[in-house]
């Protein structure tokens, strides 16, 4: 009987996975994402146990995912840990197995708390790395964990982790190595190769920042850039900041040029998750995430119309303020 850990490939996912692995040694770690979860659940065989971390339940595949989770829970143990808003209309009680859910906290915090009595207290810094990675370190619980460390060094280590993860991209074998390393409570700075990757990534990000500054455009409350390369989430932040808008969007048209994948970041009275879950399907796409950080995929020929509709919707969320 195998225990699987299915987790996300970002810093919060990697740290959640490392905490779950430390509490469940010899588990198999596998990376997935909301749109791929239904298919990736096929790796789990009847009788296997499963821990899912940091994977949003998406409307599009919800029925299939719940059916497969039910099968897992019938024959083995299922623990599903997540912090994304649930699809509208889904009650937490409809998710089979043990469903550990909270919003406003990161998956690493939920995972650390869930397995706390099986983890060394020194593993708390791994939970903090994940929290910083997801901009969720300002919660009462994480603030308490931070007190046992030098906060500045936690940020330094997390910086290496986040930058190296951007450089590693879809090299899942390398990411798995990182999960193993963190599950042993080895800090990112101990790995020379990781430090080098982080430095190179940071230099590339600096070039990205300047590219975004030169090409950013706006529509209503949205500042956007297309095909600037590099990390879309960082491009979205810089777009917003340089244009002085509450919402930043960075899109990449995929190689087949049929869809645009985009990352969005916001400040202020905006809920990107609700906006994208409502608007994206109207244009043949999908989207969602967190209120201030989300993503979407839209067919390329509908992108301009989608952008206009999104601008109108976000303006209404922002109320009387004009942009
Ligand atoms: Mn997360």
């Amino acid at each position: 009987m195998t225990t699987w850990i299915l987790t996300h490939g970002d810093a919060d996912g990697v740290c959640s996975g490392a905490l779950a692995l430390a509490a469940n040694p010899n588990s198999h770690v596998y990376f997935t994402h909301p749109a791929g979860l239904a298919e990736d659940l096929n790796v789990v065989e009847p009788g296997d146990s499963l821990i899912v971390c940091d994977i949003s339940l998406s409307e599009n595949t919800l029925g299939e995912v719940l059916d497969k989770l039910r099968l897992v829970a019938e024959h083995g143990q299922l623990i599903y840990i997540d912090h994304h808003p649930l699809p509208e209309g889904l009650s937490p009680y409809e998710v089979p197995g043990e469903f550990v859910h909270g919003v406003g906290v990161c998956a690493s915090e939920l995972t650390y708390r869930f397995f706390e009595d099986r983890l060394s207290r020194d593993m708390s810094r791994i939970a903090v790395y994940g929290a910083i990675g997801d901009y969720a370190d300002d919660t009462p619980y994480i603030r308490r964990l931070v007190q046992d460390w030098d906060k500045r060094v936690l940020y330094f280590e997390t910086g290496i982790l986040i930058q190296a993860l951007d450089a590693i991209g879809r090299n899942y074998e390398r990411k798995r190595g990182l999960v193993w390393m963190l599950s042993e409570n080895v800090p990112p700075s101990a790995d020379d190769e990781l430090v080098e990757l982080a430095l190179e990534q940071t230099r590339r990000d600096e070039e990205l920042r300047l590219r975004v500054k030169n090409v950013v455009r706006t529509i209503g409350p949205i500042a956007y850039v297309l095909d600037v390369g590099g990390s879309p989430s960082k491009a979205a932040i810089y777009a917003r900041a340089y244009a002085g808008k509450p919402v930043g969007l960075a899109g990449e048209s995929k190689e087949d040029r049929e869809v645009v994948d985009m990352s969005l970041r916001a400040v202020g009275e905006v809920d990107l998750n609700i906006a994208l879950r409502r608007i994206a399907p109207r244009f043949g796409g999908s989207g969602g995430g967190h209120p201030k950080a989300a993503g979407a995929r839209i067919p390329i020929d509908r992108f301009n119309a989608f952008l206009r509709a999104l601008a109108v919707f976000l303006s209404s969320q922002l109320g009387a303020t004009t942009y």
Side-chain angles (χ1 to χ4, degrees):
M1 194 203 84
T2 307
T3 298
W4 291 92
I5 296 170
L6 264 60
T7 193
H8 201 203
D10 68 353
D12 186 32
V14 164
C15 292
S16 311
L19 292 163
L21 179 59
N24 301 272
N26 304 318
S27 302
H28 294 240
V29 176
Y30 196 95
F31 294 99
T32 185
H33 54 97
L37 179 61
E39 201 184 323
D40 290 339
L41 281 172
N42 292 337
V43 298
V44 183
E45 304 215 356
D48 288 353
S49 289
L50 171 65
I51 303 165
V52 182
C53 301
D54 199 25
I55 305 295
S56 169
L57 287 163
S58 110
E59 266 99 353
N60 304 357
T61 54
L62 188 62
E64 196 184 342
V65 164
L66 291 180
D67 283 347
K68 288 186 177 174
L69 291 178
R70 224 167 273 126
L71 277 178
V72 175
E74 253 170 50
H75 303 283
Q77 203 195 4
L78 168 66
I79 301 166
Y80 200 111
I81 305 173
D82 187 44
H83 68 128
H84 295 86
L86 294 177
E88 289 182 72
L90 178 73
S91 140
Y93 303 104
E94 293 171 70
V95 182
E98 183 125 27
F99 186 47
V100 183
H101 187 251
V103 288
V105 299
C106 65
S108 299
E109 174 176 338
L110 294 172
T111 308
Y112 182 78
R113 295 179 72 161
F114 185 78
F115 290 118
E116 193 168 14
D117 50 3
R118 288 198 231 168
L119 293 168
S120 132
R121 257 191 76 183
D122 286 353
M123 287 297 284
S124 69
R125 64 178 170 183
I126 308 296
V128 179
Y129 300 162
I132 296 171
D134 250 18
Y135 306 99
D137 52 316
D138 197 17
T139 69
Y141 192 83
I142 295 290
R143 280 202 300 272
R144 218 161 38 242
L145 296 185
V146 168
Q147 286 172 353
D148 293 343
W149 302 96
D150 187 319
K151 182 177 183 165
R152 300 164 302 177
V153 179
L154 293 174
Y155 271 86
F156 174 70
E157 294 289 355
T158 310
I160 297 172
L161 176 63
I162 286 163
Q163 293 300 79
L165 278 172
D166 261 354
I168 289 168
R170 292 174 205 278
N171 183 347
Y172 294 115
E173 215 34 64
R174 185 70 185 85
K175 268 191 195 185
R176 218 183 322 272
L178 202 47
V179 170
W180 285 326
M181 185 184 102
L182 294 170
S183 77
E184 301 281 338
N185 202 10
V186 177
S189 63
D191 182 333
D192 287 342
E193 188 202 323
L194 219 53
V195 174
E196 192 49 49
L197 284 172
L199 288 176
E200 286 165 16
Q201 182 65 40
T202 306
R203 289 175 198 130
R204 281 196 295 274
D205 283 354
E206 181 64 1
E207 292 162 18
L208 170 68
R209 181 180 70 82
L210 299 171
R211 277 202 303 283
V212 169
K213 186 176 184 175
N214 288 326
V215 302
V216 64
R217 304 176 61 179
T218 64
I219 174 167
I222 304 172
Y224 68 99
V225 288
L226 281 176
D227 293 316
V228 287
S231 148
S233 58
K234 288 169 187 157
I237 294 171
Y238 293 134
R240 185 184 60 60
Y242 280 118
K245 297 287 182 181
V247 179
L249 181 158
E252 290 290 326
S253 44
K254 302 313 276 182
E255 277 143 37
D256 58 15
R257 315 247 348 136
E258 282 180 6
V259 293
V260 181
D261 274 340
M262 67 202 77
S263 205
L264 293 94
R265 293 293 182 273
V267 293
E269 299 303 307
V270 166
D271 190 326
L272 292 174
N273 173 55
I274 288 180
L276 291 169
R277 284 188 195 248
R278 299 251 171 94
I279 305 288
R282 281 171 36 197
F283 296 89
S286 60
H290 300 285
K292 307 289 182 242
R297 167 173 283 190
I298 304 291
I300 201 162
D301 53 332
R302 311 287 305 277
F303 177 72
N304 286 322
F306 158 79
L307 200 56
R308 284 193 296 273
L310 185 65
V312 170
F313 191 90
L314 292 170
S315 297
S316 72
Q317 282 187 338
L318 286 157
T321 330
T322 41
Y323 288 91

